[in-house]
Amino acid sequence: MRRTDPEGHGPVRFGPALPEDGLPVLPELTAVLAAAASRAGAEPVGGGPALLDAACGYGDRRGLPAAPDRVAVAPGAPALLVALTAALDGDVLVPRPCAAWWAPYARLLGRPVFHVPTPAESGGVPDPYALLETVRRLRAEGGDPRLLVLSVADDPTAGVAPPELLHETLEAAVGEGLHLVSDETWRDTLHDPHDTVLLSPAEMLPDRVTVVTDLAGALLPPGWPAAVARFPAGEDGNVLHARVLDVLTALDARVASPVAAAAAYALSEPEPVTARVADAVRLHARVAAAAHHAVVAAGALARPPCCGRHLYVDLTPLAPALRAHGIGDAQELEDFLTTRLGMPAPGGHRFGDDLEAPRVRLSTAPLLGDTAELRAEGLGSPAPVELPQVRSALTRLTAVLGELRDGARRREAPDDAAPR
């Protein structure tokens, strides 16, 4: 993770990677990849028949049916977002905060990016009224907003947007003629899938939404890049699909054949894959809940994590102690916590948040242990938070935040009364 320019701390162009699961690769996936290792070539642009069929089956099981001619596979979601942004003219709108990798690709293409605030209760989906006001202001100033990128299961906030908010935001977006890209990378990592309602925007607006899913979210290791795009129904969707394939062809963005074999196996969701996903989600959910408890106990703010392998922390209540440590913005907070915690703690500015706001994203994988073997112990443990390596990491987090809490209290305490 690159540090931002120390002179003024900006502008941020490259953010941290997706939060990894930190676990050993599933042996069945390794076997599939190894069996295909002799295939020296790559898939056709957009994916071969077997991979597209597997991607369609994956979507069907989630209520998002599509024929193979409405699906494309690329080596990672960034390639798909580049292609989509290039294929759609105009300015790009994203939530504040949003995934660190969304905005840089629009800037790479010379497209203006505008952040829209999200409601306090959830991240990933802009506030509908703020969206309308942003679009109105941009057009009044000569802008041309065309594309809205959002996420119902969010990085960095680990929140899941409620359907009623999503519906209002989609109504606003459609009324303004925006095309939507729904990043659903984290939809399979819900911490409580029975009590959390996740609704894809494509279920509401099948002719206006392109769904992008990076398989690094739940199905594949991040070093085996593969991602799926599902395009809208109708003629406009067909045209967009064709344009995206043109861009992917120009980039030669093809999935390597061994990775394609592993991706097709994972997308078909055999029992070993579904069992590993369930075990990994359960493990990270428990560790995230423990980390959230430590954060809140220290006086910081954080929404309860509902998905993914991360949580988003606001240390504004601890500002007096931060100032005493010379921490005046998110970059300095990132440097401080990364050093003290011994793990990455990317600042909120990397996700489009205000540089002055003391916010960070904390990932759960570093809390599982220092080696793959230690992290794997959590998969089979009935109480992973009680494992020595996890307990040690959580103790360190508690101690660092507790020191800041105590420092803030000391600095806020009134002076002793003067003697009479």
Side-chain angles (χ1 to χ4, degrees):
M1 186 174 65
R2 303 183 187 181
R3 193 188 192 281
T4 54
D5 187 335
E7 185 64 33
H9 296 324
V12 178
R13 296 191 181 276
F14 301 97
L18 294 175
E20 300 183 19
D21 68 7
L23 302 170
V25 179
L26 182 68
E28 288 82 356
L29 275 177
T30 302
V32 172
L33 186 83
S38 61
R39 303 179 193 172
E43 290 280 288
V45 171
L51 183 53
L52 291 177
D53 284 345
C56 290
Y58 172 88
D60 286 344
R61 292 187 292 276
R62 285 154 182 80
L64 299 173
D69 61 0
R70 284 177 50 210
V71 175
V73 183
L80 289 172
L81 191 56
V82 166
L84 284 162
T85 306
L88 294 163
D89 294 330
D91 304 339
V92 180
L93 302 173
V94 297
R96 181 189 300 276
C98 69
W101 58 275
W102 288 357
Y105 296 100
R107 296 193 191 107
L108 180 68
L109 296 170
R111 302 290 176 79
V113 180
F114 299 93
H115 291 267
V116 185
T118 58
E121 65 272 16
S122 67
V125 175
D127 177 87
Y129 300 103
L131 176 63
L132 290 171
E133 176 59 22
T134 301
V135 170
R136 183 202 64 77
R137 177 175 53 80
L138 288 177
R139 288 177 176 156
E141 296 174 355
D144 185 22
R146 297 278 191 91
L147 173 62
L148 171 63
V149 186
L150 49 74
S151 178
V152 287
D154 187 43
D155 173 22
T157 67
V160 176
E164 54 273 18
L165 167 66
L166 180 64
H167 183 265
E168 292 177 4
T169 298
L170 295 186
E171 278 193 333
V174 169
E176 297 299 333
L178 303 178
H179 184 83
L180 293 98
V181 170
S182 176
D183 177 6
E184 301 188 7
T185 294
W186 301 104
R187 69 167 297 149
D188 293 332
T189 66
L190 299 185
H191 294 181
D192 190 353
H194 298 294
D195 290 335
T196 304
V197 178
L198 186 150
L199 189 63
S200 170
E203 295 179 68
M204 294 183 177
L205 297 174
D207 59 343
R208 298 297 293 270
V209 178
T210 300
V211 175
V212 172
T213 305
D214 197 310
L215 303 193
L219 297 177
L220 287 182
W224 302 2
V228 177
R230 175 195 178 274
F231 293 85
E235 184 58 31
D236 289 345
N238 294 336
V239 171
L240 180 59
H241 180 245
R243 289 177 177 171
V244 165
L245 290 181
D246 284 343
V247 178
L248 294 177
T249 299
L251 297 173
D252 196 27
R254 300 186 294 165
V255 179
S257 291
V259 174
Y265 176 78
L267 285 165
S268 67
E269 298 184 288
E271 192 278 334
V273 170
T274 57
R276 166 56 76 86
V277 170
D279 289 344
V281 169
R282 189 179 306 111
L283 168 61
H284 284 280
R286 291 174 177 175
V287 175
H292 178 259
H293 176 77
V295 165
V296 173
L301 305 173
R303 299 184 184 112
C306 298
C307 67
R309 305 183 282 262
H310 53 283
L311 63 159
Y312 198 56
V313 182
D314 184 348
L315 280 80
T316 299
L318 307 182
L322 297 179
R323 289 192 294 269
H325 284 280
I327 300 169
D329 60 30
Q331 179 63 68
E332 291 167 349
L333 179 60
E334 173 186 304
D335 294 341
F336 175 83
L337 288 180
T338 297
T339 299
R340 296 294 299 275
L341 295 175
M343 57 181 274
H349 60 303
R350 297 184 180 271
F351 308 99
D353 224 335
D354 294 331
L355 176 64
E356 294 76 16
R359 301 185 183 117
V360 293
R361 185 191 72 186
L362 299 179
S363 298
T364 49
L367 302 175
L368 301 179
D370 297 331
T371 67
E373 292 74 19
L374 286 175
R375 292 191 290 269
E377 286 184 17
L379 283 172
S381 173
V385 173
E386 299 304 318
L387 292 171
Q389 62 271 23
V390 179
R391 189 167 61 249
S392 174
L394 289 170
T395 298
R396 186 185 313 117
L397 174 63
T398 300
V400 170
L401 295 179
E403 178 186 345
L404 292 174
R405 175 200 59 206
D406 295 343
R409 288 175 176 173
R410 285 194 299 271
R411 286 165 178 81
E412 290 177 343
D415 294 336
D416 292 336
R420 297 182 181 179

